[in-house]
Amino acid sequence: MHALPLILRKDQERRLLAGHCWIYSNEIDTQATPLKTLEPGQPVEILSRSERWIGHGYANPHSLICARIVSRERAHPLSPALWLARLHEALALRERLYTSPFYRLVFGESDGLPGLIVDRYGDRLAVQITTAGMERARAEILAALEQVLRPTEIVLRNDTSVRELEGLEQSVERVLGDPSGDWVLTEQGLEFAVDPMQGQKTGWFFDQAENRARLARYGVGERVLDVCSYVGAWSLRAAALGASDVTSVDASADALARLQANAERNGLSSRVHPLQGDAFEVLRELRDQGRRFDTVLLDPPAFIKRRKDEKDGTAAYQRLNRLGLELLEPGGLLVTSSCSFHMGRDGFQRVVQQAGQRAGRRLQLLETGQQGPDHPVHPAIQETAYLKTLFVRALPSH
């Protein structure tokens, strides 16, 4: 379909010319280009009020972010050739970074493919489409992935709530290959089996791999507490580094059963002890029992998904970190994360410091981590820098 012009209101192009690719509905000159006449996902050419050409993209009149720029070269509109070029660029970066094919292959806007996430598990791909524009190009995207990577299996993990904002249905479906059970990946010499059809996100959290590798530098001691453990990425890393008693806390019985199976797969089951329950309740119970740990790992889901969640989410982060710090031995290590974009790095540091004060601990920030380089940050799109991980030493307050 031919791309229609999408004309901005006066002086609304500055952010886009600086590199951002999101266009909000209140930035459109709706008299010059009535949004309601556009179909969800329709290709558009974005123009300034003075008709300066800005880029090729796609629109969705039903979404607050009503358009996204995909290409800034006039000769390269949305097409199978563009998808192929972007995938080759993305693959070149990952092959430069990784010796094993286990990583996020496409990270949306940062890889010039807004609305598309692709995680690679060897010759298997978990794909997530989050926008109407990418949904419209779904067949072309899948064909490009098959051409570039020759996968044996592709699973579409289109079960994220973000799709609702775009007017899209949620589903999980296998679009290539026969059902073959679990997918196995390796990280730092450990093997993990994940369920591509039912696990969280796309089955694995590749974004924390670099931070998990950093644990080796600090040593984890004998007793480790892993909160929101999911299927064991942090727990097994700690056990492999020598921890003899790893307590893995998660609300999901299925995730803990998978964690136990992964521990057995790596010969670490005697060191890892699953504990099902709500993170806050379990931490309080452990504190009241007088339990203490040499390392506490906190990797919760996002507590602040929207700006309106900020107050409650900030309080939840502070409560979780205070409880974690109260369970640490003097001199112990706290590794704490936030994947909430709305909780900035400075804000998160402040929350952890306040938690330390309430727990009666003096803190030393040893290192800060972010998502790994397979989740590159787009310098003009701060929303792509979402993960914060702090490595903190906790000392008595005196």
Side-chain angles (χ1 to χ4, degrees), residues 305-383:
K305 289 192 168 71
R306 295 158 296 185
R307 182 71 69 187
K308 68 177 185 178
D309 302 331
E310 199 162 356
K311 183 178 179 183
D312 289 345
T314 298
Y317 279 118
Q318 188 175 113
R319 196 160 67 249
L320 185 70
N321 280 277
R322 188 196 51 162
L323 287 164
L325 286 163
E326 287 173 347
L327 287 162
L328 269 177
E329 290 282 12
L333 179 70
L334 173 73
V335 182
T336 181
S337 297
S338 165
C339 60
S340 299
F341 157 68
H342 293 294
M343 169 66 71
R345 188 171 299 271
D346 290 345
F348 188 48
Q349 232 170 270
R350 201 158 45 243
V351 161
V352 175
Q353 163 64 6
Q354 290 166 350
Q357 290 177 314
R358 294 188 175 185
R361 298 300 175 94
R362 179 165 53 95
L363 305 184
Q364 295 175 315
L365 179 59
L366 309 178
E367 186 175 358
T368 62
Q370 62 180 38
Q371 67 250 34
D374 57 339
H375 293 63
V377 173
H378 190 308
I381 306 177
Q382 60 179 353
E383 290 87 351

Side-chain angles (χ1 to χ4, degrees), residues 101-120:
F102 303 105
Y103 43 68
R104 176 149 292 181
L105 173 67
V106 175
F107 182 47
E109 284 80 356
S110 296
D111 284 301
L113 291 165
L116 182 68
I117 298 293
V118 181
D119 279 353
R120 185 178 186 187

Side-chain angles (χ1 to χ4, degrees), residues 160-175:
T160 172
S161 60
V162 176
R163 285 174 61 90
E164 292 178 8
L165 302 175
E166 291 276 316
L168 300 172
E169 292 182 358
Q170 296 186 45
S171 65
V172 177
E173 56 184 306
R174 193 181 296 271
V175 293

Side-chain angles (χ1 to χ4, degrees), residues 194-209:
V194 300
D195 184 345
M197 303 295 286
Q198 295 184 355
Q200 292 181 28
K201 303 289 185 180
T202 61
W204 187 251
F205 292 90
F206 286 114
D207 54 357
Q208 285 279 28

Side-chain angles (χ1 to χ4, degrees), residues 5-14 16-17 23 26-33 45-54:
L6 192 68
I7 298 172
L8 301 173
R9 292 170 57 199
K10 189 179 179 185
D11 300 327
Q12 295 299 313
E13 67 270 23
R14 184 176 303 165
L16 303 174
L17 293 173
I23 301 162
N26 63 1
E27 296 172 329
I28 303 298
D29 183 340
T30 51
Q31 289 194 322
T33 49
E45 290 188 84
I46 295 97
L47 305 172
S48 73
R49 178 75 175 271
S50 60
E51 297 198 1
R52 175 178 179 175
W53 193 86
I54 295 171

